[in-house]
Amino acid sequence: MANNVFDLAELRKLIDEQAAVPSRPPVETPVEHEALTFPPVLLASDAELAKAVPTVPLVADAIRLTHWAGTRQVTAEGHLDEAAARAAAGELGVPLSRLRLIWIVAVNTGLLQILGGRASRGPLSMQLTVEATLEFWDGVVMDVLDRADEGLTGSAVVDGHLAEMLATIYSVRSGVATANLARGILQSHEVACAPGPVEMRRLAAALPAELLEALSLLAYCGLVEQTAAGRTALTPIGVWAIRRDLLREGHDAPTAAEVEVYADLSAAELVDELVKGAATQSAVAGWLERRSPESAARALIEIAASGTAGQRGAVGAILEELGPEAEQPVRQALGDPLMRRYAASWLHIRDLEAPALSPEDHTWIAVDSLAALMHLSGHAAGRLDTPEPGEDLIKIVGEMPAVGHPDTIAVLDMLATAHDDQAVVKAARKAAMKARSLVHDGPRTTS
């Protein structure tokens, strides 16, 4: 571990592996992957979006297929038999390969229903409210994306990176060149699957044509369109649907209106919203855009210097977004008892001159960071990324009473109560008794 650098990532990993972190307030959608922050988007009105849904070729064909099907026998798997499928594809004027997707959408959305081996008109009304139309559209897109595991586009590589590709297009509202999409897919595939040179050359040769075919299908599904500059962008209803999917996956995908709410808050108000979990990282980005790095850092440090561990944790996450332009107020924080360690680490990470931190300092930050995790909600706690401490958790616990942190006893009690490893529980209880003894005898404070 670099002498000046302390980050909580490895510490949290160490504790999580040993079940030491108590349950935090649940996030809206629990996820097992890293939550990403996407740029704010402007959404069309719900009425405009709902009006566009029936014009999507896939939706229009699903409705036409419903009328064509009437009431008829289906296979044991709930699909049209081969002869009926060919007849339906001919009636709709679509390739047979797309008919299966159209049928699945029609059945899953309730346009058709299958009972007793027969397909018939389903329960979905043809006269939907705006809200119901958007829910219908969300279901259509979920059906489309779920087919990626079953060969949706005909390209195993594109299907394997479909969600990633759509997220990339979502992030660039002006659109992405097809060549750049292909390059990104190849790079991701190389990292994820480690194919050999021969396989990579084969994929590089085949992918452009496969990608064009995949984009054609996604356009048919109403998700993408070509811009005047020849780039691939999401349609307005594509933006709405992919955002919905990103939110479902636990990502931070705000609208411009949602971010705007936080932009004019004071530093204290923003920190409070972060601690409560009401604001996410996208709100931080919008807030910082309205302020100079120096003024933002100064206001934030003032809060952290007199605030709780939770407030320091939220402030620290915001400060990590700032570059060397914020050096002056951060350097001034070296003189503050509660902020000097964070200031030294911040300066060091940016290759700026900074005083060295002692092992005691690192333990103090460990206590402060764990105290912050006790109070922050899921979104804010997830932003607490720290360097690898490299110490064993039991060793850190044993050192906690000596560093004079005001939350030491609370942190040790939390570990003693919440930990599944009896060795850690025993060490935390012993350290808590020692910390209480130090308080009774007159604590030694460090600043």
Side-chain angles (χ1 to χ4, degrees):
M1 175 176 64
N3 193 36
N4 282 47
V5 182
F6 194 96
D7 215 2
L8 190 60
E10 190 62 25
L11 179 61
R12 284 192 64 193
K13 178 182 176 184
L14 176 64
I15 295 169
D16 285 337
E17 285 174 350
Q18 301 183 56
V21 175
S23 59
R24 297 193 290 270
V27 194
E28 185 171 328
T29 304
V31 289
E32 296 180 355
H33 54 74
E34 180 184 0
L36 303 176
T37 294
F38 289 86
V41 294
L42 285 169
L43 294 179
S45 70
D46 286 357
E48 291 176 297
L49 293 168
K51 187 177 180 180
V53 170
T55 68
V56 171
L58 172 60
V59 173
D61 283 344
I63 294 172
R64 292 170 60 205
L65 179 60
T66 299
H67 293 311
W68 176 88
T71 300
R72 66 176 60 239
Q73 199 75 24
V74 294
T75 66
E77 293 77 26
H79 290 278
L80 294 172
D81 61 35
E82 185 175 349
R86 291 188 181 279
E91 178 68 22
L92 298 180
V94 298
L96 192 60
S97 59
R98 286 189 183 176
L99 186 73
R100 181 180 178 85
L101 176 62
I102 300 169
W103 181 265
I104 289 172
V105 166
V107 172
N108 287 355
T109 58
L111 286 168
L112 287 171
Q113 64 180 354
I114 298 175
L115 296 171
R118 297 182 70 81
S120 61
R121 180 71 182 88
L124 184 70
S125 170
M126 288 295 184
Q127 301 296 322
L128 298 176
T129 64
V130 167
E131 182 180 0
T133 300
L134 292 179
E135 288 302 319
F136 166 82
W137 170 239
D138 188 40
V140 170
V141 175
M142 288 178 67
D143 275 332
V144 171
L145 299 183
D146 285 349
R147 303 281 83 73
D149 293 334
E150 304 171 8
L152 171 69
T153 69
S155 168
V157 175
V158 175
D159 285 339
H161 299 279
L162 181 62
E164 178 184 347
M165 182 181 77
L166 289 171
T168 299
I169 301 172
Y170 178 91
S171 299
V172 186
R173 292 301 300 128
S174 59
V176 184
T178 305
N180 290 340
L181 286 176
R183 189 178 302 113
I185 290 172
L186 285 173
Q187 290 173 347
S188 296
H189 187 74
E190 186 173 20
V191 171
C193 303
V198 174
E199 177 66 7
M200 279 301 295
R201 285 195 294 271
R202 186 194 69 77
L203 290 174
L207 185 59
E210 292 180 356
L211 182 55
L212 287 175
E213 184 64 28
L215 292 175
S216 173
L217 175 64
L218 294 175
Y220 172 78
C221 295
L223 293 173
V224 304
E225 61 187 359
Q226 290 296 303
T227 69
R231 297 170 177 266
T232 298
L234 294 182
T235 63
I237 53 175
V239 172
W240 184 92
I242 298 304
R243 176 176 178 268
R244 191 83 173 255
D245 193 62
L246 291 172
L247 292 174
R248 208 162 18 237
E249 291 295 316
H251 298 299
D252 181 15
T255 65
E258 290 171 342
V259 171
E260 187 69 22
V261 170
Y262 298 101
D264 292 325
L265 295 183
S266 68
E269 290 169 333
L270 177 66
V271 170
D272 284 345
E273 293 297 300
L274 288 168
V275 170
K276 292 186 297 185
T280 60
Q281 190 58 22
S282 56
V284 170
W287 188 85
L288 289 174
E289 285 178 3
R290 298 283 185 90
R291 292 153 182 83
S292 70
E294 185 173 338
S295 66
R298 196 176 306 280
L300 291 165
I301 289 170
E302 182 178 346
I303 296 163
S306 59
T308 65
Q311 289 172 316
R312 283 191 295 279
V315 166
I318 303 174
L319 290 177
E320 287 307 309
E321 302 298 318
L322 299 177
E325 299 82 5
E327 177 183 359
Q328 184 178 351
V330 175
R331 188 168 295 284
Q332 289 173 349
L334 291 171
D336 182 87
L338 295 178
M339 284 299 292
R340 67 171 182 81
R341 302 167 185 84
Y342 290 110
S345 181
W346 188 96
L347 292 165
H348 179 85
I349 290 171
R350 287 154 184 77
D351 295 324
L352 301 170
E353 183 182 351
L357 292 178
S358 67
E360 236 181 17
D361 289 327
H362 293 304
T363 303
W364 191 97
I365 294 178
V367 177
D368 203 51
S369 300
L370 286 171
L373 290 176
M374 292 170 63
H375 302 292
L376 293 173
S377 75
H379 285 304
R383 289 292 303 164
L384 288 175
D385 294 324
T386 50
E388 307 176 4
E391 293 97 355
D392 179 80
L393 179 57
I394 295 177
K395 180 174 181 290
I396 295 174
V397 166
E399 295 168 348
M400 286 181 178
V403 300
H405 191 290
D407 292 324
T408 296
I409 293 175
V411 167
L412 289 171
D413 285 345
M414 175 269 289
L415 293 175
T417 302
H419 214 290
D420 288 342
D421 187 331
Q422 288 304 306
V424 176
V425 169
K426 182 178 179 180
R429 286 174 177 167
K430 181 179 179 181
M433 291 177 60
K434 182 178 180 181
R436 286 186 170 91
S437 174
L438 289 172
V439 170
H440 181 270
D441 295 339
R444 183 184 128 231
T445 60
T446 55
S447 61

